[in-house]
Amino acid sequence: MNESYHVPVLLNEVLENLDIQPAGTYVDCTFGGGGHSRAILQRLNDHGRLIAFDQDEDARQNLPGDKRVLFVPNNFRYLQRFLRLNGIDKVDGILADLGVSSHQFDEAERGFSTRFDASLDMRMDQRQTKTAADILNDYSEQQLHKLFEQYGEVTNSKTLAKTIVEARRTTSITTIENLKNVLAPIVKGNPNKYFAQVFQALRIEVNDEMGALKEMLEQAPAVLNQGGRIAVITFHSIEDRIVKTFFKDNTFEAPDENPFATTERNRVLKPVNKKPIVATNEEIKRNSRSRSAKLRVAEKI
Ligand SMILES: C[S@@+](CC[C@H](N)C(=O)[O-])C[C@H]1O[C@@H](n2cnc3c(N)ncnc32)[C@H](O)[C@@H]1O
């Protein structure tokens, strides 16, 4: 594990709730610094396997050099496709620890952090073309408004969208400093918090984080063995709602569109815990990033 790359959150809680079988096959959808993966590997015997996804090439540097590990440098939204490509039909557990790693935040040129000046990039997968600058320069005022409202919970998201659209007629918004200067007159409350909300919204949109999460969840029941578990750690209320709803209803369709959505007849996953598991005070003291983490676990029926 590379602690300077990322400190894993809710580590023991994940291990306990995934109920690791020593000869099982597990998927870590978000390898990052490999903290969770290494702890899973310690519980596996020689027959166990770990398939580690990460769409950021940087994560590769943390691979442990263990023949039981297969690294998939791709988006976990293609979970089933890449498992099949590697001849894997079913797995015993899936973990997703969502969002960005500390490493991604700390690398100035990646453009994730409000602490530095760099181009407005924010792509986890650098093969992707769309960046945060593209969103700021191409999205309509209405799209920007919705995005900052929903993903950033920015209180003056309407004014924010209007300000960006007006500014981009005369100024280019391609760097973090450009964006901060444009927003300076409309910042509400603590500027650090305000910019963090704006950046969070852009990051979620650049990486289509909600879309990828939904697609992965929808494939999970098909790839899990009976009794296999899926554990998801979220850091945002919308993500948590998506996971909670899927674990409970096994669908994203509204109940009136799918009258059988919540019946036992077609239930394939059941939640293991009613309430999300959160970090202890002791973990929050050690790692402030764990403060907003919520772990939900479901089991394949
Ligand atoms: C919070 S970090 C995971 C940290 C890891 N659990 C550890 O212990 O070091 C999230 C990682 O998942 C990756 N990631 C996020 N969304 C992804 C997606 N849709 N597909 C593949 N990788 C993704 C990011 O690039 C990042 O490295």
Side-chain angles (χ1 to χ4, degrees):
M1 152 164 67
N2 182 347
E3 286 243 343
S4 68
Y5 194 100
H6 191 83
V7 178
V9 304
L10 296 169
L11 184 59
N12 290 329
E13 292 82 349
V14 164
L15 293 173
E16 259 168 46
N17 282 280
L18 270 181
D19 190 22
I20 314 255
Q21 310 300 312
T25 300
Y26 290 84
V27 178
D28 183 348
C29 287
T30 50
F31 179 72
H36 289 106
S37 277
R38 287 206 185 244
I40 293 171
L41 283 166
Q42 279 169 5
R43 300 204 171 192
L44 295 181
N45 64 24
D46 281 352
H47 303 286
R49 285 189 82 182
L50 179 79
I51 295 84
F53 281 72
D54 203 302
Q55 61 179 333
D56 186 345
E57 252 315 300
D58 283 2
R60 191 188 287 276
Q61 63 185 261
N62 304 313
L63 285 171
D66 182 318
K67 62 178 178 18
R68 298 170 299 172
V69 179
L70 172 72
F71 184 58
V72 181
N74 284 290
N75 197 306
F76 61 59
R77 75 194 315 154
Y78 307 119
L79 173 67
Q80 194 169 18
R81 185 187 304 176
F82 282 105
L83 289 180
R84 276 208 193 121
L85 264 175
N86 287 289
I88 299 160
D89 182 37
K90 291 274 192 285
V91 303
D92 300 293
I94 301 170
L95 165 68
D97 171 20
L98 301 175
V100 280
S101 64
S102 307
H103 165 82
Q104 288 164 327
F105 266 124
D106 292 343
E107 291 286 288
E109 73 273 14
R110 301 293 299 268
F112 286 108
S113 171
T114 60
R115 285 171 293 160
F116 312 110
D117 187 21
S119 38
L120 284 158
D121 187 324
M122 304 195 194
R123 292 168 302 163
M124 292 189 208
D125 181 346
Q126 293 183 296
R127 293 162 293 193
Q128 176 185 316
T129 51
K130 183 160 90 177
T131 65
D134 293 331
I135 290 171
L136 290 164
N137 289 292
D138 299 341
Y139 276 30
S140 69
E141 187 171 330
Q142 172 73 2
Q143 284 176 306
L144 290 169
H145 170 199
K146 287 287 152 221
L147 145 67
F148 290 120
E149 185 176 70
Q150 287 176 4
Y151 296 159
E153 292 161 70
V154 178
T155 46
N156 63 348
S157 52
K158 203 167 179 197
T159 312
L160 169 55
K162 193 163 184 270
T163 305
I164 290 166
V165 170
E166 271 169 17
R168 75 189 184 192
R169 292 200 186 105
T170 52
T171 333
S172 75
I173 313 177
T174 55
T175 68
I176 294 173
E177 271 316 301
N178 291 157
L179 180 61
K180 281 187 172 170
N181 289 337
V182 166
L183 301 189
I186 60 149
V187 167
K188 277 199 133 189
N190 176 333
N192 288 338
K193 184 163 177 243
Y194 187 84
F195 290 128
Q197 288 173 316
V198 169
F199 273 51
Q200 170 179 275
L202 287 168
R203 191 204 83 209
I204 291 174
E205 182 68 13
V206 168
N207 298 290
D208 187 22
E209 294 181 30
M210 303 304 164
L213 171 62
K214 284 184 171 175
E215 286 183 33
M216 184 274 286
L217 289 174
E218 282 176 323
Q219 295 163 48
V223 303
L224 276 174
N225 277 321
Q226 200 177 358
R229 289 187 170 187
I230 172 165
V232 184
I233 303 173
T234 64
F235 294 87
H236 190 285
S237 58
I238 301 183
E239 283 174 341
D240 182 54
R241 212 173 316 127
I242 289 174
V243 176
K244 181 181 171 188
T245 304
F246 192 77
F247 285 180
K248 184 166 127 311
D249 299 339
N250 297 185
T251 178
F252 296 117
E253 286 174 45
D256 53 343
E257 286 167 37
N258 179 357
F260 304 110
T262 54
T263 64
E264 291 305 313
R265 198 164 64 84
N266 57 354
R267 180 176 288 286
V268 282
L269 280 181
K270 65 166 193 230
V272 171
N273 310 293
K274 267 212 173 83
K275 293 232 161 99
I277 297 165
V278 294
T280 58
N281 289 336
E282 197 261 322
E283 179 172 4
I284 294 170
K285 256 189 242 152
R286 260 191 295 119
N287 180 7
S288 62
R289 201 178 168 277
S290 65
R291 186 182 299 278
S292 52
K294 289 200 167 109
L295 167 67
R296 290 191 188 268
V297 186
E299 188 172 302
K300 168 88 176 280
I301 300 171

